[in-house]
Coordinates of all heavy atoms in Angstrom, one line a residue:
M123 N -35.7 -117.0 -164.3 CA -37.1 -116.5 -164.3 C -37.7 -116.7 -162.9 O -37.3 -117.7 -162.2 CB -37.9 -117.3 -165.4 CG -37.4 -117.2 -166.8 SD -37.4 -115.6 -167.6 CE -35.9 -114.9 -167.2
R124 N -38.6 -115.9 -162.6 CA -39.3 -116.0 -161.3 C -40.8 -116.2 -161.5 O -41.4 -115.5 -162.3 CB -39.0 -114.7 -160.5 CG -39.5 -114.8 -159.1 CD -38.6 -113.9 -158.2 NE -38.9 -113.9 -156.8 CZ -38.4 -114.8 -156.0 NH1 -37.5 -115.7 -156.4 NH2 -38.7 -114.8 -154.7
I125 N -41.3 -117.2 -160.8 CA -42.7 -117.5 -160.8 C -43.3 -117.3 -159.4 O -42.7 -117.8 -158.4 CB -43.0 -118.9 -161.3 CG1 -42.5 -119.1 -162.7 CG2 -44.5 -119.2 -161.2 CD1 -42.7 -120.5 -163.3
S126 N -44.3 -116.4 -159.3 CA -45.0 -116.2 -158.0 C -46.5 -116.5 -158.2 O -47.0 -116.7 -159.3 CB -44.8 -114.8 -157.6 OG -45.3 -113.8 -158.5
F127 N -47.1 -116.6 -157.1 CA -48.5 -117.0 -157.0 C -49.4 -116.0 -156.2 O -48.9 -115.5 -155.3 CB -48.6 -118.4 -156.4 CG -47.7 -119.4 -157.0 CD1 -46.5 -119.7 -156.4 CD2 -48.0 -120.1 -158.2 CE1 -45.7 -120.7 -156.9 CE2 -47.2 -121.0 -158.7 CZ -46.0 -121.3 -158.1
E128 N -50.6 -115.8 -156.7 CA -51.5 -115.0 -155.9 C -52.0 -115.7 -154.7 O -52.4 -115.1 -153.7 CB -52.7 -114.6 -156.8 CG -52.3 -113.5 -157.8 CD -53.5 -112.8 -158.4 OE1 -54.6 -112.8 -157.8 OE2 -53.3 -112.2 -159.4
A129 N -52.0 -117.1 -154.7 CA -52.5 -117.8 -153.5 C -51.5 -117.7 -152.4 O -50.3 -117.7 -152.5 CB -52.6 -119.3 -153.9
E130 N -52.1 -117.6 -151.2 CA -51.3 -117.4 -150.0 C -50.7 -118.8 -149.6 O -51.2 -119.8 -149.9 CB -52.2 -117.0 -148.8 CG -52.9 -115.7 -149.1 CD -52.6 -114.6 -148.1 OE1 -52.0 -115.0 -147.0 OE2 -52.9 -113.5 -148.3
G131 N -49.5 -118.7 -149.0 CA -48.8 -119.9 -148.5 C -47.9 -120.6 -149.5 O -47.4 -121.7 -149.3
F132 N -47.7 -120.0 -150.7 CA -46.9 -120.5 -151.7 C -45.8 -119.5 -152.1 O -46.1 -118.4 -152.5 CB -47.7 -120.9 -153.0 CG -48.6 -122.0 -152.7 CD1 -49.9 -121.7 -152.4 CD2 -48.2 -123.4 -152.8 CE1 -50.9 -122.8 -152.2 CE2 -49.1 -124.4 -152.6 CZ -50.5 -124.1 -152.2
A133 N -44.6 -119.9 -151.8 CA -43.4 -119.0 -152.1 C -43.1 -118.9 -153.5 O -43.3 -119.8 -154.3 CB -42.2 -119.5 -151.3
A134 N -42.6 -117.7 -153.9 CA -42.2 -117.5 -155.3 C -41.0 -118.4 -155.5 O -40.3 -118.8 -154.6 CB -41.8 -116.0 -155.5
M135 N -40.7 -118.8 -156.8 CA -39.6 -119.7 -157.1 C -38.9 -119.2 -158.3 O -39.4 -118.6 -159.2 CB -40.1 -121.1 -157.2 CG -41.1 -121.3 -158.3 SD -41.6 -123.0 -158.6 CE -42.7 -123.2 -157.2
D136 N -37.6 -119.4 -158.3 CA -36.7 -119.1 -159.4 C -36.6 -120.4 -160.2 O -36.4 -121.5 -159.7 CB -35.3 -118.7 -159.0 CG -35.4 -117.3 -158.3 OD1 -36.1 -116.4 -158.8 OD2 -34.8 -117.1 -157.3
V137 N -36.8 -120.3 -161.5 CA -36.8 -121.5 -162.4 C -36.0 -121.2 -163.6 O -35.8 -120.0 -164.0 CB -38.3 -121.8 -162.8 CG1 -39.2 -122.1 -161.6 CG2 -38.9 -120.7 -163.6
P138 N -35.5 -122.2 -164.3 CA -34.6 -122.1 -165.5 C -35.4 -121.5 -166.6 O -36.6 -121.8 -166.8 CB -34.2 -123.5 -165.8 CG -34.5 -124.3 -164.6 CD -35.6 -123.6 -163.9
L139 N -34.8 -120.7 -167.4 CA -35.4 -120.1 -168.6 C -35.8 -121.3 -169.5 O -35.0 -122.2 -169.8 CB -34.4 -119.2 -169.4 CG -34.8 -118.7 -170.7 CD1 -36.0 -117.8 -170.6 CD2 -33.7 -118.0 -171.4
G140 N -37.0 -121.3 -170.0 CA -37.5 -122.3 -171.0 C -38.1 -123.5 -170.3 O -38.6 -124.4 -171.0
A141 N -38.1 -123.6 -169.0 CA -38.6 -124.8 -168.3 C -40.1 -124.9 -168.5 O -40.8 -123.9 -168.3 CB -38.3 -124.7 -166.8
P142 N -40.7 -126.0 -168.8 CA -42.1 -126.2 -168.9 C -42.8 -126.1 -167.6 O -42.3 -126.7 -166.6 CB -42.3 -127.6 -169.5 CG -40.9 -128.0 -170.0 CD -39.9 -127.2 -169.2
L143 N -43.8 -125.3 -167.5 CA -44.5 -125.1 -166.2 C -45.1 -126.4 -165.7 O -45.2 -126.6 -164.5 CB -45.6 -124.0 -166.3 CG -45.2 -122.6 -166.7 CD1 -46.3 -121.6 -166.4 CD2 -44.0 -122.2 -165.9
A144 N -45.5 -127.3 -166.6 CA -46.1 -128.6 -166.2 C -45.1 -129.4 -165.4 O -45.4 -130.2 -164.5 CB -46.6 -129.4 -167.4
D145 N -43.8 -129.2 -165.7 CA -42.7 -130.0 -165.0 C -42.4 -129.3 -163.7 O -42.2 -130.0 -162.6 CB -41.5 -130.1 -165.8 CG -41.7 -130.9 -167.1 OD1 -42.7 -131.7 -167.1 OD2 -40.9 -130.8 -168.0
I146 N -42.3 -128.0 -163.6 CA -41.8 -127.3 -162.4 C -42.8 -127.0 -161.4 O -42.5 -126.8 -160.3 CB -41.0 -126.0 -162.8 CG1 -41.8 -125.1 -163.6 CG2 -39.7 -126.4 -163.5 CD1 -41.1 -123.8 -164.0
L147 N -44.1 -126.9 -161.8 CA -45.2 -126.6 -160.9 C -46.0 -127.8 -160.4 O -46.9 -127.6 -159.7 CB -46.1 -125.6 -161.5 CG -45.5 -124.3 -161.9 CD1 -46.6 -123.4 -162.5 CD2 -44.8 -123.6 -160.8
D148 N -45.6 -129.0 -160.8 CA -46.4 -130.2 -160.5 C -45.8 -130.7 -159.1 O -44.9 -131.5 -159.1 CB -46.3 -131.2 -161.6 CG -47.3 -132.3 -161.4 OD1 -48.2 -132.2 -160.6 OD2 -47.1 -133.4 -162.0
G149 N -46.4 -130.2 -158.0 CA -46.0 -130.7 -156.7 C -46.5 -129.8 -155.6 O -47.3 -128.9 -155.9
P150 N -46.2 -130.1 -154.4 CA -46.8 -129.4 -153.2 C -46.3 -128.0 -153.1 O -46.9 -127.2 -152.3 CB -46.3 -130.3 -152.0 CG -45.0 -130.9 -152.5 CD -45.2 -131.1 -154.0
H151 N -45.3 -127.5 -153.8 CA -44.8 -126.2 -153.7 C -45.6 -125.2 -154.6 O -45.3 -124.0 -154.7 CB -43.3 -126.1 -154.1 CG -43.1 -126.7 -155.5 ND1 -43.0 -128.1 -155.7 CD2 -43.0 -126.1 -156.7 CE1 -42.8 -128.3 -157.0 NE2 -42.8 -127.1 -157.6
S152 N -46.7 -125.7 -155.3 CA -47.5 -124.9 -156.2 C -48.9 -125.1 -156.0 O -49.4 -126.2 -155.7 CB -47.1 -125.3 -157.6 OG -48.1 -124.8 -158.5
P153 N -49.7 -124.0 -156.1 CA -51.2 -124.2 -156.0 C -51.9 -124.7 -157.3 O -53.1 -124.9 -157.3 CB -51.7 -122.7 -155.7 CG -50.7 -121.9 -156.4 CD -49.3 -122.6 -156.2
V154 N -51.1 -124.8 -158.3 CA -51.6 -125.2 -159.6 C -51.6 -126.7 -159.7 O -50.6 -127.4 -159.5 CB -50.8 -124.6 -160.8 CG1 -51.4 -125.1 -162.1 CG2 -50.7 -123.1 -160.7
F155 N -52.8 -127.3 -160.1 CA -52.9 -128.7 -160.3 C -52.9 -129.0 -161.7 O -53.3 -128.2 -162.6 CB -54.2 -129.2 -159.6 CG -54.3 -129.1 -158.2 CD1 -54.9 -128.1 -157.6 CD2 -53.7 -130.1 -157.4 CE1 -54.9 -128.0 -156.2 CE2 -53.7 -130.0 -156.0 CZ -54.3 -128.9 -155.4
F156 N -52.4 -130.2 -162.1 CA -52.3 -130.7 -163.4 C -53.1 -132.0 -163.6 O -53.0 -132.8 -162.7 CB -50.9 -130.8 -163.9 CG -50.1 -129.6 -164.0 CD1 -49.5 -129.0 -162.9 CD2 -50.1 -128.8 -165.1 CE1 -48.8 -127.8 -162.9 CE2 -49.5 -127.6 -165.2 CZ -48.8 -127.1 -164.1
G157 N -53.7 -132.2 -164.7 CA -54.4 -133.4 -165.0 C -53.7 -134.1 -166.2 O -52.7 -134.8 -166.0
C158 N -54.1 -133.8 -167.4 CA -53.6 -134.5 -168.6 C -52.2 -134.0 -169.0 O -51.5 -134.7 -169.6 CB -54.6 -134.4 -169.7 SG -54.7 -132.7 -170.3
K159 N -51.9 -132.8 -168.7 CA -50.7 -132.1 -169.2 C -50.5 -132.0 -170.7 O -49.5 -131.8 -171.2 CB -49.4 -132.8 -168.6 CG -49.3 -132.7 -167.1 CD -48.0 -133.2 -166.6 CE -47.9 -133.1 -165.1 NZ -46.7 -133.6 -164.6
S160 N -51.6 -132.2 -171.4 CA -51.6 -132.0 -172.9 C -52.6 -130.9 -173.4 O -52.7 -130.8 -174.6 CB -51.9 -133.4 -173.5 OG -53.2 -133.8 -173.2
G161 N -53.2 -130.2 -172.5 CA -54.1 -129.1 -172.9 C -55.5 -129.5 -173.2 O -56.2 -128.8 -173.8
N162 N -55.9 -130.7 -172.7 CA -57.3 -131.2 -173.0 C -58.2 -131.0 -171.9 O -59.4 -130.8 -172.1 CB -57.2 -132.6 -173.4 CG -56.5 -132.8 -174.8 OD1 -56.7 -132.1 -175.7 ND2 -55.7 -133.9 -174.8
C163 N -57.8 -131.2 -170.6 CA -58.7 -131.2 -169.5 C -59.0 -129.9 -168.9 O -60.1 -129.7 -168.3 CB -58.2 -132.2 -168.5 SG -56.8 -131.7 -167.5
G164 N -58.1 -129.0 -168.9 CA -58.3 -127.6 -168.3 C -58.1 -127.6 -166.8 O -58.3 -126.5 -166.2
T165 N -57.6 -128.6 -166.2 CA -57.3 -128.6 -164.8 C -56.3 -127.5 -164.4 O -56.5 -126.9 -163.3 CB -56.7 -130.0 -164.3 OG1 -57.7 -131.0 -164.7 CG2 -56.5 -130.0 -162.9
C166 N -55.4 -127.2 -165.2 CA -54.4 -126.2 -164.9 C -54.6 -124.8 -165.4 O -53.7 -124.0 -165.6 CB -53.0 -126.7 -165.5 SG -53.0 -126.8 -167.3
L167 N -55.9 -124.4 -165.5 CA -56.3 -123.1 -166.0 C -55.8 -122.0 -165.0 O -56.1 -122.1 -163.8 CB -57.8 -123.0 -166.1 CG -58.4 -121.7 -166.7 CD1 -57.9 -121.5 -168.1 CD2 -59.9 -121.7 -166.7
V168 N -55.1 -121.0 -165.5 CA -54.5 -120.0 -164.6 C -54.7 -118.6 -165.3 O -54.8 -118.5 -166.6 CB -53.0 -120.2 -164.3 CG1 -52.8 -121.4 -163.5 CG2 -52.2 -120.3 -165.6
D169 N -54.8 -117.5 -164.5 CA -54.6 -116.2 -165.0 C -53.1 -115.9 -165.0 O -52.5 -116.2 -164.0 CB -55.4 -115.2 -164.2 CG -56.7 -114.8 -164.8 OD1 -56.9 -114.9 -166.0 OD2 -57.6 -114.3 -164.0
V170 N -52.6 -115.3 -166.1 CA -51.2 -115.1 -166.2 C -50.9 -113.6 -166.2 O -51.4 -112.9 -167.1 CB -50.6 -115.8 -167.4 CG1 -49.1 -115.5 -167.6 CG2 -50.8 -117.2 -167.4
N171 N -50.1 -113.1 -165.3 CA -49.6 -111.8 -165.3 C -48.1 -111.9 -165.6 O -47.3 -112.3 -164.8 CB -49.8 -111.1 -164.0 CG -49.3 -109.7 -163.9 OD1 -48.6 -109.2 -164.8 ND2 -49.7 -108.9 -162.9
A172 N -47.7 -111.6 -166.8 CA -46.3 -111.7 -167.3 C -45.7 -110.4 -167.4 O -46.3 -109.4 -167.9 CB -46.3 -112.4 -168.7
D173 N -44.4 -110.3 -167.0 CA -43.7 -109.0 -167.1 C -43.4 -108.7 -168.6 O -43.1 -107.5 -168.9 CB -42.5 -108.9 -166.2 CG -41.4 -109.8 -166.6 OD1 -41.5 -110.7 -167.4 OD2 -40.3 -109.6 -166.0
Q174 N -43.3 -109.7 -169.4 CA -43.1 -109.5 -170.9 C -44.1 -110.4 -171.6 O -43.7 -111.4 -172.2 CB -41.7 -109.9 -171.2 CG -40.6 -109.0 -170.5 CD -39.2 -109.3 -170.9 OE1 -38.9 -109.4 -172.1 NE2 -38.4 -109.5 -169.9
P175 N -45.4 -110.1 -171.7 CA -46.4 -111.0 -172.3 C -46.1 -111.4 -173.7 O -46.5 -112.4 -174.2 CB -47.7 -110.2 -172.1 CG -47.3 -108.9 -171.7 CD -45.9 -108.9 -171.2
A176 N -45.4 -110.5 -174.5 CA -45.1 -110.8 -175.9 C -44.2 -112.1 -176.0 O -44.2 -112.7 -177.1 CB -44.4 -109.6 -176.5
L177 N -43.5 -112.5 -174.9 CA -42.6 -113.6 -175.0 C -43.4 -114.9 -174.8 O -42.9 -116.0 -175.2 CB -41.5 -113.5 -173.9 CG -40.5 -112.4 -174.1 CD1 -39.5 -112.4 -173.0 CD2 -39.8 -112.5 -175.4
L178 N -44.6 -114.9 -174.3 CA -45.4 -116.1 -174.1 C -45.8 -116.7 -175.5 O -46.0 -116.0 -176.4 CB -46.7 -115.8 -173.3 CG -46.5 -115.3 -171.9 CD1 -47.8 -115.0 -171.3 CD2 -45.7 -116.4 -171.1
S179 N -45.8 -118.0 -175.5 CA -46.2 -118.7 -176.7 C -47.6 -118.4 -177.1 O -48.5 -118.1 -176.2 CB -46.0 -120.2 -176.6 OG -46.9 -120.7 -175.5
V180 N -47.9 -118.4 -178.3 CA -49.3 -118.2 -178.8 C -50.1 -119.5 -178.5 O -49.5 -120.6 -178.7 CB -49.3 -118.0 -180.3 CG1 -50.7 -117.9 -180.9 CG2 -48.5 -116.7 -180.6
P181 N -51.3 -119.4 -178.0 CA -52.1 -120.6 -177.7 C -52.3 -121.5 -179.0 O -52.5 -120.9 -180.1 CB -53.4 -120.1 -177.2 CG -53.1 -118.7 -176.7 CD -52.0 -118.2 -177.6
S182 N -52.1 -122.8 -178.8 CA -52.4 -123.7 -179.9 C -53.9 -123.6 -180.3 O -54.7 -123.0 -179.5 CB -52.1 -125.1 -179.5 OG -53.0 -125.6 -178.5
V183 N -54.3 -124.2 -181.4 CA -55.7 -124.2 -181.8 C -56.5 -124.9 -180.7 O -57.6 -124.4 -180.3 CB -55.9 -125.0 -183.1 CG1 -57.4 -125.2 -183.4 CG2 -55.2 -124.2 -184.2
D184 N -56.1 -126.0 -180.1 CA -56.8 -126.7 -179.1 C -57.0 -125.8 -177.8 O -58.0 -125.8 -177.2 CB -56.2 -128.0 -178.7 CG -56.4 -129.1 -179.8 OD1 -57.3 -128.9 -180.7 OD2 -55.6 -130.0 -179.9
E185 N -55.8 -125.2 -177.4 CA -55.9 -124.4 -176.2 C -56.8 -123.2 -176.4 O -57.6 -122.8 -175.6 CB -54.5 -123.9 -175.8 CG -54.5 -123.0 -174.5 CD -53.2 -122.5 -174.1 OE1 -52.2 -122.6 -174.9 OE2 -53.1 -121.8 -173.0
R186 N -56.7 -122.6 -177.6 CA -57.6 -121.4 -177.9 C -59.0 -121.8 -177.9 O -59.9 -121.1 -177.3 CB -57.2 -120.9 -179.3 CG -57.8 -119.5 -179.6 CD -57.2 -118.9 -180.9 NE -56.0 -119.4 -181.3 CZ -55.8 -120.0 -182.5 NH1 -56.8 -120.2 -183.3 NH2 -54.6 -120.4 -182.8
E187 N -59.4 -123.0 -178.4 CA -60.8 -123.4 -178.4 C -61.2 -123.6 -176.9 O -62.3 -123.2 -176.5 CB -61.0 -124.7 -179.1 CG -60.9 -124.5 -180.6 CD -61.0 -125.8 -181.4 OE1 -61.2 -126.9 -180.8 OE2 -60.9 -125.7 -182.6
F188 N -60.4 -124.2 -176.1 CA -60.7 -124.4 -174.7 C -60.9 -123.0 -174.0 O -61.9 -122.9 -173.3 CB -59.6 -125.2 -173.9 CG -59.9 -125.4 -172.5 CD1 -60.6 -126.5 -172.1 CD2 -59.5 -124.4 -171.5 CE1 -61.0 -126.6 -170.7 CE2 -59.9 -124.6 -170.2 CZ -60.6 -125.7 -169.8
L189 N -60.0 -122.1 -174.2 CA -60.1 -120.8 -173.6 C -61.3 -120.0 -174.0 O -62.0 -119.4 -173.2 CB -58.8 -120.0 -173.8 CG -57.6 -120.5 -173.2 CD1 -56.4 -119.8 -173.7 CD2 -57.6 -120.6 -171.7
E190 N -61.7 -120.1 -175.3 CA -62.9 -119.4 -175.8 C -64.1 -120.0 -175.2 O -65.1 -119.3 -175.0 CB -62.9 -119.6 -177.3 CG -61.9 -118.7 -178.1 CD -61.8 -119.0 -179.6 OE1 -62.5 -120.0 -180.1 OE2 -61.0 -118.4 -180.2
T191 N -64.1 -121.3 -174.9 CA -65.3 -121.9 -174.3 C -65.4 -121.7 -172.8 O -66.4 -121.5 -172.2 CB -65.3 -123.4 -174.6 OG1 -65.3 -123.6 -176.0 CG2 -66.5 -124.1 -174.0
H192 N -64.2 -121.8 -172.1 CA -64.2 -121.9 -170.6 C -63.7 -120.6 -169.9 O -63.8 -120.5 -168.7 CB -63.5 -123.1 -170.1 CG -64.0 -124.4 -170.6 ND1 -65.2 -124.9 -170.1 CD2 -63.6 -125.2 -171.6 CE1 -65.4 -126.1 -170.7 NE2 -64.5 -126.2 -171.7
A193 N -63.1 -119.7 -170.7 CA -62.5 -118.5 -170.0 C -62.6 -117.3 -171.0 O -61.7 -116.5 -171.0 CB -61.0 -118.8 -169.7
A194 N -63.7 -117.2 -171.7 CA -63.8 -116.1 -172.7 C -63.7 -114.8 -172.0 O -63.3 -113.8 -172.7 CB -65.1 -116.3 -173.4
D195 N -64.1 -114.7 -170.8 CA -64.1 -113.4 -170.1 C -62.8 -113.1 -169.4 O -62.7 -112.1 -168.7 CB -65.3 -113.3 -169.1 CG -65.2 -114.4 -168.0 OD1 -64.5 -115.5 -168.3 OD2 -65.8 -114.3 -166.9
R196 N -61.8 -113.9 -169.6 CA -60.5 -113.7 -169.0 C -59.4 -113.7 -170.0 O -58.9 -114.7 -170.4 CB -60.2 -114.9 -168.0 CG -61.2 -114.9 -166.8 CD -60.7 -116.0 -165.8 NE -61.5 -115.9 -164.6 CZ -61.2 -115.2 -163.6 NH1 -60.1 -114.4 -163.6 NH2 -61.9 -115.2 -162.5
P197 N -59.1 -112.5 -170.5 CA -58.1 -112.4 -171.6 C -56.7 -112.9 -171.3 O -55.9 -113.2 -172.2 CB -58.1 -110.9 -172.0 CG -58.7 -110.2 -170.8 CD -59.6 -111.2 -170.1
T198 N -56.4 -113.0 -170.0 CA -55.0 -113.4 -169.6 C -55.0 -114.9 -169.2 O -54.0 -115.3 -168.6 CB -54.4 -112.5 -168.5 OG1 -55.3 -112.5 -167.4 CG2 -54.3 -111.1 -169.0
A199 N -56.1 -115.6 -169.4 CA -56.2 -117.0 -169.0 C -55.4 -117.8 -169.9 O -55.4 -117.6 -171.1 CB -57.6 -117.5 -168.9
R200 N -54.7 -118.8 -169.4 CA -53.9 -119.8 -170.2 C -54.0 -121.2 -169.5 O -54.3 -121.2 -168.3 CB -52.5 -119.4 -170.3 CG -52.2 -118.2 -171.2 CD -52.6 -118.3 -172.7 NE -51.9 -119.4 -173.3 CZ -50.7 -119.3 -173.9 NH1 -50.1 -118.2 -174.0 NH2 -50.2 -120.4 -174.5
L201 N -53.6 -122.2 -170.2 CA -53.4 -123.5 -169.6 C -51.9 -123.6 -169.2 O -51.1 -123.5 -170.1 CB -53.8 -124.6 -170.5 CG -55.3 -124.6 -170.9 CD1 -55.6 -125.7 -171.9 CD2 -56.2 -124.9 -169.7
A202 N -51.7 -123.7 -167.9 CA -50.3 -123.7 -167.5 C -49.4 -124.8 -168.1 O -48.2 -124.7 -168.4 CB -50.2 -123.9 -166.0
C203 N -50.1 -126.0 -168.4 CA -49.3 -127.1 -169.1 C -48.8 -126.7 -170.4 O -48.0 -127.4 -171.0 CB -50.2 -128.3 -169.1 SG -51.6 -128.3 -170.3
Q204 N -49.3 -125.7 -171.0 CA -48.9 -125.3 -172.4 C -47.8 -124.2 -172.4 O -47.4 -123.7 -173.4 CB -50.1 -124.8 -173.2 CG -51.2 -125.9 -173.3 CD -50.7 -127.1 -174.0 OE1 -50.3 -127.1 -175.2 NE2 -50.6 -128.2 -173.3
L205 N -47.4 -123.7 -171.2 CA -46.5 -122.6 -171.1 C -45.1 -123.0 -170.6 O -45.0 -124.0 -169.9 CB -47.1 -121.6 -170.1 CG -48.3 -120.9 -170.5 CD1 -48.8 -120.0 -169.3 CD2 -48.1 -120.0 -171.7
K206 N -44.2 -122.2 -171.0 CA -42.8 -122.4 -170.5 C -42.4 -121.1 -169.8 O -43.0 -120.0 -170.1 CB -41.8 -122.6 -171.7 CG -42.1 -123.9 -172.4 CD -41.1 -124.2 -173.4 CE -41.3 -125.6 -174.0 NZ -40.4 -126.0 -175.0
A207 N -41.4 -121.2 -168.9 CA -40.9 -120.0 -168.2 C -40.0 -119.2 -169.1 O -38.9 -119.5 -169.3 CB -40.2 -120.5 -167.0
V208 N -40.6 -118.2 -169.7 CA -39.8 -117.3 -170.7 C -39.7 -115.9 -170.2 O -39.0 -115.1 -170.8 CB -40.5 -117.3 -172.1 CG1 -40.4 -118.7 -172.7 CG2 -41.9 -116.9 -172.0
C209 N -40.4 -115.6 -169.1 CA -40.3 -114.3 -168.4 C -40.9 -114.5 -167.0 O -41.3 -115.6 -166.7 CB -41.1 -113.2 -169.2 SG -42.9 -113.6 -169.4
N210 N -40.8 -113.4 -166.2 CA -41.3 -113.5 -164.9 C -42.8 -113.6 -164.9 O -43.5 -112.9 -165.7 CB -40.9 -112.3 -164.0 CG -39.4 -112.2 -163.8 OD1 -38.8 -113.3 -163.6 ND2 -38.8 -111.1 -163.9
L211 N -43.4 -114.5 -164.1 CA -44.9 -114.8 -164.2 C -45.5 -114.7 -162.8 O -44.8 -115.2 -161.8 CB -45.1 -116.1 -164.8 CG -44.6 -116.5 -166.1 CD1 -44.8 -118.0 -166.4 CD2 -45.3 -115.6 -167.2
K212 N -46.7 -114.1 -162.7 CA -47.5 -114.3 -161.5 C -48.7 -115.0 -161.9 O -49.4 -114.6 -162.8 CB -47.8 -112.9 -160.9 CG -48.5 -113.0 -159.6 CD -48.7 -111.7 -158.9 CE -49.2 -111.9 -157.5 NZ -49.3 -110.6 -156.8
L213 N -49.0 -116.1 -161.2 CA -50.1 -117.0 -161.6 C -51.2 -117.0 -160.6 O -50.9 -117.0 -159.4 CB -49.6 -118.4 -161.8 CG -48.5 -118.6 -162.8 CD1 -48.0 -120.1 -162.8 CD2 -48.9 -118.2 -164.2
K214 N -52.4 -117.0 -161.1 CA -53.6 -117.2 -160.2 C -54.3 -118.4 -160.7 O -54.8 -118.4 -161.8 CB -54.5 -116.0 -160.3 CG -55.8 -116.1 -159.4 CD -56.7 -114.9 -159.5 CE -57.9 -115.1 -158.7 NZ -58.8 -113.9 -158.8
Y215 N -54.4 -119.4 -159.9 CA -55.1 -120.7 -160.2 C -56.6 -120.5 -160.3 O -57.1 -119.9 -159.3 CB -54.7 -121.8 -159.2 CG -55.2 -123.1 -159.6 CD1 -54.9 -123.7 -160.8 CD2 -56.0 -123.9 -158.7 CE1 -55.4 -125.0 -161.1 CE2 -56.4 -125.1 -159.0 CZ -56.1 -125.7 -160.2 OH -56.6 -126.9 -160.5
L216 N -57.2 -120.9 -161.3 CA -58.7 -120.6 -161.5 C -59.6 -121.8 -161.2 O -60.8 -121.6 -161.2 CB -58.9 -120.1 -162.9 CG -58.2 -118.8 -163.3 CD1 -58.4 -118.4 -164.7 CD2 -58.7 -117.7 -162.4
N217 N -59.1 -123.0 -161.1 CA -60.0 -124.1 -160.9 C -60.2 -124.4 -159.4 O -59.5 -124.3 -158.6 CB -59.5 -125.3 -161.6 CG -59.8 -125.2 -163.1 OD1 -60.7 -124.6 -163.5 ND2 -59.1 -125.9 -163.9

């Protein structure tokens, strides 16, 4: 799978299928920051452009509540800590 970023200065990366984004994007090679990694804080809020959006996991109840409160106007927003690399993704960090 390939993950790319809208932010300048961050190269696209190839990642293993099914890898949790919280594990592979937590470092200087990614513009996405993580806080709790459990979907509570919202630090990792991103817009997701997926080449196969149907493969993305359905947001949990907690994630859905967060998104309805903090990103209601962004239908492609997700918490990166709740996603796995299941298709090619282009991410835009929102925080």
